Amino acid sequence: MAIEHAILVSLAERSASGYDLARRFDASIGHFWKASHQQIYKVLGRMEGDGWVASEVVAQDGRPDKKVYAITLAGREELALWTSRPTPAEHLRSEFAVKIRALPFGDPAAIVQDVHARRSAHLDRLAYYEQSAAKHYPRPDQLDDAEIGGWLVLRGGLLAEQAGIAWCDEILQRLTASEATER
Amino acid sequence: MAIEHAILVSLAERSASGYDLARRFDASIGHFWKASHQQIYKVLGRMEGDGWVASEVVAQDGRPDKKVYAITLAGREELALWTSRPTPAEHLRSEFAVKIRALPFGDPAAIVQDVHARRSAHLDRLAYYEQSAAKHYPRPDQLDDAEIGGWLVLRGGLLAEQAGIAWCDEILQRLTASEATER
DNA sequence: GATCTCATGTAATCAGTTACATGATTTC
DNA sequence: GAAATCATGTAACTGATTACATGAGATC
């Protein structure tokens, strides 16, 4: 895919302007697919040309006009078709992992700092996911069909952050242990 | 960064030809940073221009000549400098997550198949990491400085795969449970 | 008066993928 | 005879990032 299907999903959930989408890609859906507003506007134009979305200019008072995009029938068909195609294997690409591997050739103190920073970023996102879950899915054992996708993605994010924290802890344990021994 | 530092790390561990590097980026280091041979050759040329690596043509019998690249002093300095700079925040980009969120708008049966495929890919990589760990680090409690980076990265891969499997299991539990209820 | 939010874009550049290209040797 | 391995590249294209651009109204 690319960003197109992420936009289709977001618009299927609720119509939005490019600006609204940019904010969504900064928060919720953006936790697993980032996109800048420039990219979003460009792709929306292309998608409208393909007939996947349709726009309507909405006037507002005290604010600039906005172009609200809605998914079309053709867009829904494309989205359904896309879900029916197998997802190509995705491999992680982690600069952090490369840096950990570079430990014997680098600056251990700086790397330890980096691990701390990463750990706290994981903690922040974990807290965000937990709050999000509590707010949007107070009864996870009674989800309806429309909610299940969002809930499961949140769960995935949660598990990933927890694993990330566990990894940071292992790294710090190793690195600070060897430090203590050296002295 | 980009791929440059991954190549520097790999060459710091051991000098190699572009072809060798391409194979490494297909296996070990490639589990957290993928690169094609075309890309590697292109970047190696640029890096040689920058003085980070130096090449030497080695003749072989019964095989084509190869250009063996070694990291230079300037390359080691750049590598050390890079480790001392903070790693920019990296956000996951997961087509799979987008697809899970698309559940209410897509083909649940196809998505379930996809989850199964992903789960088995996770299992394969987990097995690979476990074998790798047993082979290269039989005594994880007695690692020397040169080994610590590789070991910790393996641990990260392991934890990530385990989390991935746990996520797939949760998804499958949800989706096959609701399927059973529907009938 | 300065900064933030709302709102939408264009242009240039860079990183990465896909397609194309070649050629010898070894294995099935 | 066909396919796989070893070995190195160029060219075209696509996807994504960064820089640049504008302008009104709201808040501090």
Side-chain angles (χ1 to χ4, degrees):
Chain A
M1 76 166 200
I3 193 185
E4 277 88 346
H5 297 98
I7 290 179
L8 284 178
V9 172
S10 200
L11 290 179
E13 287 171 356
R14 185 189 290 257
S15 295
S17 68
Y19 187 84
D20 296 332
L21 282 171
R23 277 185 310 168
R24 290 185 197 169
F25 277 83
D26 235 44
S28 63
I29 205 165
H31 285 286
F32 41 95
W33 201 282
K34 285 282 169 200
S36 63
H37 69 102
Q38 293 95 327
Q39 201 191 349
I40 288 166
Y41 285 120
K42 206 186 339 175
V43 173
L44 277 173
R46 194 165 63 215
M47 289 169 77
E48 191 166 23
D50 292 340
W52 293 358
V53 298
S55 68
E56 194 193 352
V57 176
V58 175
Q60 303 178 108
D61 50 83
R63 287 180 183 181
D65 294 357
K66 62 176 174 178
K67 244 158 106 179
V68 176
Y69 288 88
I71 189 169
T72 62
L73 202 80
R76 285 191 185 273
E77 277 165 6
E78 168 56 29
L79 184 52
L81 197 74
W82 171 68
T83 66
S84 75
R85 284 194 295 262
T87 310
E90 42 195 54
H91 20 72
L92 32 125
R93 164 161 296 193
S94 169
E95 175 168 350
F96 181 74
V98 176
K99 201 169 268 190
I100 294 301
R101 180 124 164 196
L103 259 168
F105 317 108
D107 176 348
I111 293 176
V112 165
Q113 268 209 315
D114 225 52
V115 180
H116 278 295
R118 187 185 171 91
R119 189 181 186 280
S120 98
H122 279 310
L123 278 176
D124 288 349
R125 282 196 296 265
L126 184 61
Y128 171 87
Y129 289 140
E130 278 167 352
Q131 279 164 31
S132 226
K135 188 178 165 193
H136 298 295
Y137 311 96
R139 300 222 173 283
D141 45 323
Q142 289 164 25
L143 298 172
D144 60 43
D145 287 355
E147 291 174 315
I148 194 91
W151 163 257
L152 286 173
V153 169
L154 259 190
R155 287 295 306 160
L158 237 121
L159 290 167
E161 298 306 334
Q162 284 170 347
I165 293 166
W167 188 28
C168 288
D169 287 340
E170 267 197 39
I171 297 169
L172 290 172
Q173 207 185 353
R174 282 276 173 178
L175 296 192
T176 53
S178 80
E179 209 173 66
T181 317
E182 273 163 26
R183 278 153 202 182
Chain B
M1 77 165 200
I3 192 186
E4 276 88 347
H5 296 98
I7 289 178
L8 284 179
V9 172
S10 199
L11 289 180
E13 288 172 355
R14 183 192 291 259
S15 295
S17 67
Y19 188 85
D20 296 333
L21 282 170
R23 277 186 310 170
R24 289 184 198 169
F25 276 84
D26 234 43
S28 63
I29 206 165
H31 285 287
F32 41 95
W33 202 284
K34 284 281 169 199
S36 63
H37 69 103
Q38 292 95 329
Q39 200 190 350
I40 289 167
Y41 285 120
K42 206 188 336 178
V43 173
L44 277 174
R46 193 164 64 215
M47 290 169 77
E48 191 165 24
D50 291 339
W52 294 358
V53 298
S55 68
E56 193 195 351
V57 176
V58 175
Q60 303 178 109
D61 51 82
R63 287 179 181 181
D65 293 358
K66 61 177 177 179
K67 245 157 106 180
V68 175
Y69 288 88
I71 190 169
T72 62
L73 202 81
R76 286 190 185 274
E77 276 164 9
E78 167 57 29
L79 184 53
L81 197 75
W82 170 68
T83 65
S84 74
R85 285 192 296 260
T87 309
E90 43 195 53
H91 20 73
L92 32 126
R93 165 160 292 192
S94 169
E95 174 169 350
F96 181 75
V98 176
K99 200 168 269 189
I100 293 301
R101 180 126 165 195
L103 259 169
F105 317 109
D107 177 346
I111 294 176
V112 165
Q113 266 209 317
D114 227 50
V115 180
H116 278 296
R118 188 184 170 90
R119 189 181 187 281
S120 98
H122 279 311
L123 278 176
D124 288 350
R125 283 195 295 266
L126 184 61
Y128 171 87
Y129 289 139
E130 279 167 351
Q131 278 164 30
S132 227
K135 187 178 165 191
H136 299 294
Y137 311 96
R139 301 224 172 282
D141 45 321
Q142 290 166 25
L143 297 172
D144 59 43
D145 285 356
E147 292 174 314
I148 194 91
W151 163 256
L152 286 173
V153 169
L154 258 189
R155 287 294 306 160
L158 237 123
L159 291 167
E161 299 304 334
Q162 284 170 347
I165 293 166
W167 188 27
C168 288
D169 286 341
E170 266 197 41
I171 297 169
L172 290 171
Q173 208 186 354
R174 282 275 173 181
L175 296 191
T176 53
S178 78
E179 209 174 65
T181 319
E182 274 163 22
R183 279 153 200 185

